Amino acid sequence: MEERAYRWAQALCECAGEGEAFLQAFWQALRQSEGIYAEFVYYLERQTFCCAYKVAGYSVVDIMVWQIDHFKANLDQSHSGAAYAGGHNGDRMLLMAFDTMLKMERDPERYAAPMRSETGTDYADKY
């Protein structure tokens, strides 16, 4: 399974436009986290999220939703999708959610605080 998971991480990085250095750092961090690695493999095998493992109360889906909210906020502020065209890359969004969770595991408050305080744009008069 480890070889298959590595190949998938490699493919995600390629689709996301990330290079070898990112892949190696991501893979090393992923292999050091039993919980996040298990979530990564679960998604690989089933193409759905398990969400059994959480960091500071947040699952990988929570992180992904927060990141998508930021993408939408950037679109709303720019009024142009051109600057954020890369954000539509689902592989990149998935990879960045796992990468953020790995970083959050090392420094939970740095990521949990913005997740608690920053919201998307789905309400009137946000901008």
Side-chain angles (χ1 to χ4, degrees):
M1 176 50 68
E2 186 171 341
E3 183 179 328
R4 184 172 169 222
Y6 179 80
R7 284 194 318 263
W8 187 53
Q10 193 173 33
L12 280 176
C13 286
E14 185 177 311
C15 290
E18 296 294 342
E20 184 67 22
F22 182 93
L23 169 62
Q24 293 309 315
F26 175 76
W27 182 252
Q28 181 179 2
L30 187 63
R31 290 306 293 131
Q32 291 174 356
S33 174
E34 187 177 319
I36 300 172
Y37 180 75
E39 293 284 330
F40 188 79
V41 168
Y42 186 93
Y43 189 89
L44 167 62
E45 293 178 331
R46 296 170 181 84
Q47 300 298 296
T48 191
F49 297 97
C50 177
C51 297
Y53 185 74
K54 295 182 179 185
V55 176
Y58 294 98
S59 71
V60 70
V61 170
D62 296 323
I63 294 167
M64 184 177 273
V65 167
W66 179 71
Q67 289 175 335
I68 290 169
D69 281 348
H70 277 83
F71 167 73
K72 288 172 27 184
N74 286 333
L75 283 178
D76 289 349
Q77 287 176 332
S78 74
H79 302 290
S80 166
Y84 301 98
H88 286 221
N89 182 329
D91 291 327
R92 180 167 182 75
M93 289 182 172
L94 180 64
L95 178 64
M96 292 300 109
F98 278 110
D99 185 59
T100 298
M101 191 174 203
L102 288 164
K103 291 173 181 169
M104 190 176 187
E105 194 174 54
R106 290 189 301 266
D107 188 3
E109 195 52 29
R110 179 176 178 209
Y111 295 89
M115 288 180 69
R116 284 191 303 268
S117 63
E118 296 173 5
T119 61
T121 59
D122 293 340
Y123 55 93
D125 301 322
K126 171 71 179 194
Y127 295 106

